[in-house]
Amino acid sequence: MFRKTAIALTTAAAMFSTAALADGHSKDIVDTAAAAGTFETLLAAATAAGLVDTLKSEGPFTVFAPTDDAFAALPAGTVEDLLKPENKETLAGILTYHVIAGKVMSTDLTDDMEATTVQGTTVMIDLDNDVMVDDANVTTADIETSNGVIHVIDKVIMP
């Protein structure tokens, strides 16, 4: 099971990152996510939280990026509520919980390691049953960008 998953993740990462690799990782985290087409909610949230310029800066950053489907799985109205201007600070806290300062590749991970997020608390990495960050599965790992790396996750993780 682990071997099949590892092969599938490697294949998916290779397919997803082809555009970034073709030009020497010239796209930053934001542009890479935008080009993928499956992170529209994440990018809208980053815009509402005022984090786009940071994610386009030099970095490096490691982003655990929930897909649009991951955001859609939240209770009805959650995303809409978080995108309101009065919830900007809460939204920024949730999004920065998905970011680690520095470039952390999947080969750098160890089972049960804790990683400090930009938000200030830690996420738990579990390698026992595939790769998990808190209670989210990493579905695609090691998408390199000009200013870091993206690991795609199937759930929005909460601080």
Side-chain angles (χ1 to χ4, degrees):
M1 172 75 175
F2 178 75
R3 184 172 183 194
K4 285 183 183 179
T5 302
I7 292 169
L9 288 175
T10 302
T11 303
M15 291 185 326
F16 184 82
S17 61
T18 300
L21 292 172
D23 56 5
H25 310 297
S26 65
K27 292 183 180 180
D28 60 39
I29 289 169
V30 173
D31 293 339
T32 301
T38 55
F39 301 102
E40 291 179 21
T41 308
L42 176 61
L43 294 172
T47 300
L51 297 174
V52 171
D53 287 342
T54 300
L55 292 173
K56 290 182 81 53
S57 70
E58 187 175 326
F61 303 105
T62 297
V63 176
F64 298 107
T67 62
D68 291 334
D69 289 341
F71 278 100
L74 292 172
T78 301
V79 173
E80 293 78 11
D81 192 47
L82 286 170
L83 291 175
K84 293 178 181 175
E86 61 267 25
N87 295 324
K88 182 177 180 177
E89 189 174 314
T90 301
L91 179 60
I94 292 168
L95 294 179
T96 56
Y97 186 68
H98 289 77
V99 180
I100 296 172
K103 185 176 180 179
V104 181
M105 302 299 287
S106 61
T107 54
D108 300 323
L109 303 176
T110 58
D111 191 33
D112 297 330
M113 75 180 279
E114 291 185 349
T116 302
T117 68
V118 172
Q119 183 259 358
T121 57
T122 59
V123 291
M124 175 65 72
I125 307 298
D126 181 14
L127 304 179
D128 291 333
N129 297 306
D130 299 323
V131 180
M132 295 186 73
V133 178
D134 285 348
D135 58 349
N137 293 297
V138 174
T139 59
T140 306
D142 298 334
I143 302 166
E144 293 189 71
T145 69
S146 64
N147 63 341
V149 62
I150 298 171
H151 302 291
V152 180
I153 56 175
D154 67 352
K155 186 175 183 179
V156 177
I157 53 177
M158 297 292 185

